[in-house]
Structure formats: C-alpha cells, structure tokens
Amino acid sequence: MEQNQLTARQSIDLIARTINNTRRHIEQGVYKHFLIWGYLTTVISLTIWALARSTGNMAVMWLWFALPVTGGGLVLLTCRTPRDHGYVRTDIDRAISHVWLVLSMACLVASVSSYFIGLPILFIVILLMFSGTAITGLIIRSRILSTAGFTGLALSVQLFFVHGIDQCLVFAAIFLLAMVVPGHMLRHRANKNR
Amino acid sequence: MFKELNPLLHSELRLAVMSILIGVEEADFVYLREQTHATAGNLSVQIDKLQKAGYISVEKGFKGRMPRTVCRITDCGRDAFTEYVDALSGYIGR
C-alpha cells in the first residue's frame, strides 16, 4: 500500500474494509478454545464413567481436576500467536478473557466445594460454561456461539432425569453437542474466510 | 462549505493504520504490515509520522528474544480520526 491520496469515497471504503478485516481476524481463533475444551471434557467424562463403572471406585472423580490442568496446557500450546505472526489485542479480547476468567474461578470454587457439601456440580459447571459460551457469542455477534450457549443451558436440565455416575454420559453428550459441533462449524467458517 | 480533510490522515497507508488501531487496544508492527500489505520501510516511515503528530504511541520491546514494536492510538489520534470521518461525511453528502 503506497502513500496515495484518496477520494472521500475511497477513504470511507478503506476505513470500512479495514475495520471489517480486524473483526474477522478476532473471530478466527475462537474455535480452537471450543474444540479443546469440548473434546477434553467429553473424553474425561467418558473415561471417568467407564472407570467408575468397571472398578466401582469413586476415587476416579479426582480425574476431573485433570481437566483444567490439561486444558490450560493445551490452550497455552496451541492458541498462542506464532512468533512470525502479527500480534493484536482488542477490547473484545479483553472482555472475553475476563468473562472466562471469572466463570472458570466460579467453576473451580464450586468443584472444590462439591467434595465437602452436596452440590449438583455437573449441572453448575454446565450452567457456568454455557453462560460463558452464550456471552462470548453475544459479544462477538456470532450466531453459532450464542445458539450453542443457549442450547447448552437448555440441555442442562437433562441432568435431573439421570442419576448417579450415568450423569457423566449426559454431561459428555451436552459438551459434544453444544461445544464440539459449534467448534467445528466455526473452524469450517474460519478456514473458508482465510 | 466543506471542512478541510486532515492531510496527515488523508493518505492511504496512514489512514489504514489509524483504521486498524481505532478498533483495537494495541497491535504490533508485524500485524499492521500483514493487514496493510505495506513494505516495512514505508510502514515504518508512516508510523513515525503518526507518532510525531501524537496520534499513536509506539512502544518498543521484546517478545522472548524477538524485538517487537507495539502501537496504540492516543486520545488525540482518536479525536483526529473522528473529526476526519465527520469531515468525510460532508464530502459524500451524509
């Protein structure tokens, strides 16, 4: 892009095009988070269900704590900007990361508390995580994400129809449907726009 | 009566840089170069002009061992951009 003089119309077009490109750039990386957390939660839920069913030992519940550790590590490894790529941070990035920080802290407090007092922890986790998904979708104006968030919230009541360790199956199914599937849809769209 | 367009912003590359920075908190030199498709030398000169006018702030630092230049729009730059867009709308009859 050289240092050309512009007409008024060209200036307006340039401003609009640049702002749109920046917005598209923000949306592109979001799908990775949803695929990582969606798949990981599904796999760990099913592993816990299978181990609890086969061994009858409820100590396998401690495996839930592998979720934040593994997920956090994978996000750090796969979602950071490569060195030779440009770095940009927007107000939207900051708002979204703060929303998820608060919700993750609430999730952690609820999970630890559930070991001491009887809490419907899987229900609480779904409410918190899919509230985050819906809020993210509304902030970045992504219909896929906001629909996924509200779908997850609506499906959360299914947990009340299943009892005991089988709740893990419903939990996994909700994450698969409302986090992994939208993650793939976002990925497909991001690849198409690239 | 048309308002005069700010000559500092009325150039393709400087306007593109300002349009990017108006929508973000901060962006580095590499990102600006990717988005504007400008050469490093040209971009560097235009960033320098915007910085001297007080429209953007430039922070030079390191990410790991790689040097990184991060640019942010200033309040003065935001006001100038808003005035420029207002003036433009007079030209296109809004």
Side-chain angles (χ1 to χ4, degrees):
Chain A
M1 194 179 283
E2 294 306 318
Q3 201 191 330
N4 298 329
Q5 288 297 311
L6 302 160
T7 65
R9 171 56 63 193
Q10 284 171 328
S11 295
I12 288 284
D13 288 346
L14 175 67
I15 294 168
R17 198 170 59 239
T18 311
I19 291 173
N20 278 339
N21 283 346
T22 310
R23 209 177 92 80
R24 206 172 299 140
H25 188 267
I26 295 164
E27 284 178 359
Q28 294 231 326
V30 172
Y31 74 87
K32 286 183 188 168
H33 293 267
F34 287 85
L35 288 181
I36 288 171
W37 291 108
Y39 272 120
L40 199 61
T41 308
T42 306
V43 167
I44 289 185
S45 309
L46 294 177
T47 307
I48 289 173
W49 176 82
L51 287 174
R53 275 274 174 195
S54 57
T55 64
N57 183 353
M58 286 298 135
V60 294
M61 291 297 169
W62 287 101
L63 265 179
W64 284 118
F65 289 101
L67 189 55
V69 176
T70 320
L74 282 172
V75 165
L76 279 178
L77 278 175
T78 57
C79 296
R80 67 181 173 183
T81 315
R83 278 189 180 179
D84 56 342
H85 278 53
Y87 153 85
V88 63
R89 183 171 171 84
T90 66
D91 295 335
I92 290 176
D93 289 330
R94 195 165 49 141
I96 292 174
S97 57
H98 285 179
V99 164
W100 281 102
L101 178 71
V102 171
L103 292 176
S104 306
M105 293 299 286
C107 212
L108 192 67
V109 170
S111 305
V112 173
S113 308
S114 71
Y115 278 86
F116 306 102
I117 50 174
L119 284 176
I121 187 60
L122 297 184
F123 177 68
I124 291 171
V125 168
I126 283 184
L127 282 188
L128 291 171
M129 293 298 101
F130 287 99
S131 297
T133 307
I135 292 169
T136 305
L138 293 171
I139 291 176
I140 66 169
R141 293 186 212 159
S142 161
R143 196 174 295 167
I144 294 175
L145 280 186
S146 41
T147 307
F150 289 117
T151 305
L153 290 176
L155 290 174
S156 64
V157 292
Q158 296 298 319
L159 282 167
F160 294 125
F161 299 106
V162 181
H163 299 286
I165 195 66
D166 289 343
Q167 281 194 334
C168 288
L169 290 177
V170 179
F171 189 74
I174 293 174
F175 268 83
L176 195 66
L177 198 71
M179 203 166 266
V180 173
V181 173
H184 278 291
M185 288 164 78
L186 286 171
R187 183 177 178 224
H188 177 71
R189 210 169 66 171
N191 288 341
K192 213 167 65 176
N193 287 337
R194 194 167 286 161
Chain B
M1 184 74 180
F2 292 123
K3 284 187 203 170
E4 197 184 335
L5 291 173
N6 182 341
L8 199 66
L9 294 184
H10 200 57
S11 106
E12 194 173 3
L13 183 50
R14 288 195 293 268
L15 184 60
V17 170
M18 290 294 282
S19 304
I20 292 167
L21 293 178
I22 197 87
V24 305
E25 205 171 278
E26 58 187 26
D28 74 356
F29 186 84
V30 180
Y31 180 81
L32 292 173
R33 206 182 62 203
E34 282 170 1
Q35 295 297 307
T36 58
H37 307 291
T39 61
N42 191 11
L43 181 60
S44 183
V45 170
Q46 306 313 324
I47 283 178
D48 197 45
K49 285 185 182 172
L50 290 170
Q51 187 191 12
K52 281 186 178 143
Y55 290 176
I56 64 171
S57 67
V58 177
E59 188 184 311
K60 290 181 192 287
F62 285 88
K63 185 187 179 190
R65 278 177 295 177
M66 300 283 282
R68 189 170 73 172
T69 303
V70 177
C71 302
R72 295 181 194 90
I73 197 163
T74 61
D75 289 341
C76 172
R78 212 173 283 279
D79 292 344
F81 188 81
T82 309
E83 272 174 32
Y84 179 79
V85 173
D86 282 348
L88 272 183
S89 33
Y91 280 83
I92 58 168
R94 274 202 284 166

